[in-house]
mmCIF file of all heavy atoms in Angstrom:
data_model
loop_
_atom_site.group_PDB
_atom_site.id
_atom_site.type_symbol
_atom_site.label_atom_id
_atom_site.label_comp_id
_atom_site.label_asym_id
_atom_site.label_seq_id
_atom_site.Cartn_x
_atom_site.Cartn_y
_atom_site.Cartn_z
ATOM 1 N N GLU A 200 17.345 10.038 9.296
ATOM 2 C CA GLU A 200 18.232 10.884 10.097
ATOM 3 C C GLU A 200 19.525 10.156 10.444
ATOM 4 O O GLU A 200 20.635 10.702 10.291
ATOM 5 C CB GLU A 200 17.495 11.300 11.365
ATOM 6 C CG GLU A 200 18.311 12.156 12.308
ATOM 7 C CD GLU A 200 17.532 12.471 13.573
ATOM 8 O OE1 GLU A 200 16.295 12.503 13.532
ATOM 9 O OE2 GLU A 200 18.188 12.656 14.611
ATOM 10 N N ILE A 201 19.399 8.921 10.897
ATOM 11 C CA ILE A 201 20.579 8.129 11.262
ATOM 12 C C ILE A 201 21.407 7.794 10.025
ATOM 13 O O ILE A 201 22.643 7.829 10.057
ATOM 14 C CB ILE A 201 20.147 6.844 12.006
ATOM 15 C CG1 ILE A 201 19.522 7.207 13.358
ATOM 16 C CG2 ILE A 201 21.333 5.914 12.209
ATOM 17 C CD1 ILE A 201 18.871 6.040 14.069
ATOM 18 N N THR A 202 20.733 7.496 8.909
ATOM 19 C CA THR A 202 21.443 7.194 7.664
ATOM 20 C C THR A 202 22.299 8.375 7.224
ATOM 21 O O THR A 202 23.469 8.213 6.856
ATOM 22 C CB THR A 202 20.449 6.831 6.545
ATOM 23 O OG1 THR A 202 19.694 5.681 6.940
ATOM 24 C CG2 THR A 202 21.179 6.546 5.241
ATOM 25 N N CYS A 203 21.726 9.580 7.274
ATOM 26 C CA CYS A 203 22.485 10.775 6.896
ATOM 27 C C CYS A 203 23.668 10.997 7.825
ATOM 28 O O CYS A 203 24.769 11.364 7.382
ATOM 29 C CB CYS A 203 21.574 12.001 6.903
ATOM 30 S SG CYS A 203 20.320 11.984 5.621
ATOM 31 N N SER A 204 23.444 10.762 9.123
ATOM 32 C CA SER A 204 24.529 10.924 10.089
ATOM 33 C C SER A 204 25.656 9.931 9.815
ATOM 34 O O SER A 204 26.845 10.275 9.903
ATOM 35 C CB SER A 204 23.992 10.735 11.508
ATOM 36 O OG SER A 204 25.023 10.871 12.460
ATOM 37 N N ILE A 205 25.290 8.697 9.466
ATOM 38 C CA ILE A 205 26.302 7.677 9.162
ATOM 39 C C ILE A 205 27.086 8.067 7.911
ATOM 40 O O ILE A 205 28.327 7.979 7.883
ATOM 41 C CB ILE A 205 25.633 6.300 8.986
ATOM 42 C CG1 ILE A 205 25.117 5.785 10.333
ATOM 43 C CG2 ILE A 205 26.617 5.296 8.386
ATOM 44 C CD1 ILE A 205 24.286 4.518 10.233
ATOM 45 N N PHE A 206 26.380 8.513 6.864
ATOM 46 C CA PHE A 206 27.055 8.928 5.633
ATOM 47 C C PHE A 206 28.026 10.070 5.915
ATOM 48 O O PHE A 206 29.170 10.067 5.432
ATOM 49 C CB PHE A 206 26.020 9.357 4.573
ATOM 50 C CG PHE A 206 25.601 8.256 3.653
ATOM 51 C CD1 PHE A 206 24.768 7.241 4.101
ATOM 52 C CD2 PHE A 206 26.028 8.220 2.342
ATOM 53 C CE1 PHE A 206 24.373 6.212 3.265
ATOM 54 C CE2 PHE A 206 25.644 7.204 1.490
ATOM 55 C CZ PHE A 206 24.815 6.196 1.940
ATOM 56 N N ASN A 207 27.575 11.060 6.690
ATOM 57 C CA ASN A 207 28.453 12.181 7.023
ATOM 58 C C ASN A 207 29.669 11.715 7.813
ATOM 59 O O ASN A 207 30.812 12.111 7.514
ATOM 60 C CB ASN A 207 27.678 13.217 7.855
ATOM 61 C CG ASN A 207 26.624 13.941 7.050
ATOM 62 O OD1 ASN A 207 26.759 14.105 5.840
ATOM 63 N ND2 ASN A 207 25.565 14.366 7.712
ATOM 64 N N SER A 208 29.449 10.873 8.814
ATOM 65 C CA SER A 208 30.542 10.426 9.668
ATOM 66 C C SER A 208 31.559 9.590 8.908
ATOM 67 O O SER A 208 32.773 9.729 9.112
ATOM 68 C CB SER A 208 29.990 9.624 10.853
ATOM 69 O OG SER A 208 29.147 10.416 11.649
ATOM 70 N N VAL A 209 31.072 8.725 8.014
ATOM 71 C CA VAL A 209 31.993 7.857 7.265
ATOM 72 C C VAL A 209 32.927 8.681 6.397
ATOM 73 O O VAL A 209 34.154 8.481 6.416
ATOM 74 C CB VAL A 209 31.195 6.844 6.409
ATOM 75 C CG1 VAL A 209 32.114 6.164 5.393
ATOM 76 C CG2 VAL A 209 30.535 5.797 7.286
ATOM 77 N N ILE A 210 32.371 9.626 5.617
ATOM 78 C CA ILE A 210 33.236 10.399 4.715
ATOM 79 C C ILE A 210 34.158 11.338 5.495
ATOM 80 O O ILE A 210 35.327 11.524 5.134
ATOM 81 C CB ILE A 210 32.393 11.191 3.684
ATOM 82 C CG1 ILE A 210 33.295 11.792 2.604
ATOM 83 C CG2 ILE A 210 31.562 12.271 4.349
ATOM 84 C CD1 ILE A 210 34.011 10.802 1.745
#
Side-chain angles (χ1 to χ4, degrees):
E200 179 183 333
I201 294 171
T202 300
C203 292
S204 179
I205 290 173
F206 267 73
N207 290 331
S208 298
V209 167
I210 190 64

